[in-house]
Amino acid sequence: MTAGTTAVVVAAGTGIGFAQTHQFGTDQVGQTTDKGLVVSGDQYINPIGGRLVINNGKIMSSSVSPDGTHLAASVTDGGMALAIVDLKNYKVQQLVGNNAAANPRISGNDVGQEGPTYSPDGSQLWLGQADGYRKFTVNPDGSLANPTFIRIAQDGPKRALVGEAVFSPDGSTVYSAVNGQNRVVAINAATGAIEQSWAVGNAPRDMVKVGTSSTSATRAGGRRCPASPRSTRTTPRCWPTR
């Protein structure tokens, strides 16, 4: 595929507009030139620093461990659900999924809208999946072990489509925006039990920690959130997204 061979002429009223992409010449998508890497959006990209390509799926979201030594990336469409990258040597250290080459193997490669998320002390990693979270133990070398599924029950026909897990500062509680059920829940990080639930309006997408005792949820739906002048453990505040 050759990048940028389109020319467009538009006549409007008494004026004429002309545009072309001949500046790409014969450069092809995927080639690296002196201007950078040619991509399919009629652009050159020339990032500062190095690039690591993960060949086991496209990256949906990623998080860096609290100690800065590892990156966890949720991936899709490549036979895996999660990749762990050692940032000290810039190599993929571990692949997690239901593929035969995965270690550890889990039951499904479905991944949530955001995340994955490390606990504040780096001892746990939570990956959003359909109907809840996959919780892992983080080993001293940064690898993952002991996958356990934290299930959020269906509300009638409504499944739990979870956003990024957000930990309380002490790591004891995980807050989750549950899209599909229009609520936010507080989960005991040790037991996986849901300790509290709040209705927050249509389609909550994500959570953010504000200060040390407040949480806010973003939502994509059009209905108003319940009135909440202040966000606390008992009344998380929600904001519309556009």
Side-chain angles (χ1 to χ4, degrees), residues 3 61 186 190:
S61 185

Side-chain angles (χ1 to χ4, degrees), residues 42-224:
D42 280 348
Q43 291 178 312
Y44 291 105
I45 60 171
N46 194 7
I48 298 173
R51 293 177 70 235
L52 172 66
V53 177
I54 296 177
N55 294 314
N56 304 93
K58 61 184 179 184
I59 297 175
M60 300 298 291
S61 185
S62 63
S63 298
V64 176
S65 61
D67 64 3
T69 63
H70 289 79
L71 178 139
S74 58
V75 294
T76 190
D77 297 338
M80 297 292 178
L82 186 64
I84 301 299
V85 177
D86 187 335
L87 297 179
K88 298 186 296 296
N89 57 26
Y90 220 50
K91 293 182 179 180
V92 176
Q93 176 177 337
Q94 186 179 26
L95 294 167
V96 178
N98 66 359
N99 190 291
N103 181 24
R105 294 186 68 179
I106 57 176
S107 59
N109 287 337
D110 51 294
V111 294
Q113 299 167 354
E114 295 290 344
T117 307
Y118 285 95
S119 61
D121 64 359
S123 65
Q124 300 177 23
L125 181 80
W126 286 48
L127 173 69
Q129 296 194 283
D131 299 313
Y133 293 93
R134 190 75 56 178
K135 173 185 172 183
F136 300 89
T137 300
V138 181
N139 293 321
D141 67 353
S143 63
L144 305 181
N146 306 320
T148 302
F149 194 69
I150 307 298
R151 183 172 300 277
I152 299 176
Q154 287 189 210
D155 179 10
K158 301 175 182 177
R159 297 179 67 183
L161 307 176
V162 298
E164 179 181 6
V166 175
F167 280 86
S168 60
D170 63 2
S172 64
T173 302
V174 169
Y175 297 96
S176 171
V178 187
N179 196 353
Q181 296 181 357
N182 298 336
R183 62 174 178 152
V184 166
V185 297
I187 304 171
N188 186 304
T191 66
I194 295 178
E195 297 181 327
Q196 206 161 349
S197 176
W198 303 268
V200 293
N202 277 10
R205 290 285 184 179
D206 204 355
M207 295 287 298
V208 63
K209 182 173 62 179
V210 181
T212 59
S213 60
S214 301
T215 55
S216 294
T218 60
R219 60 180 178 81
R223 295 180 185 173
R224 294 182 62 187

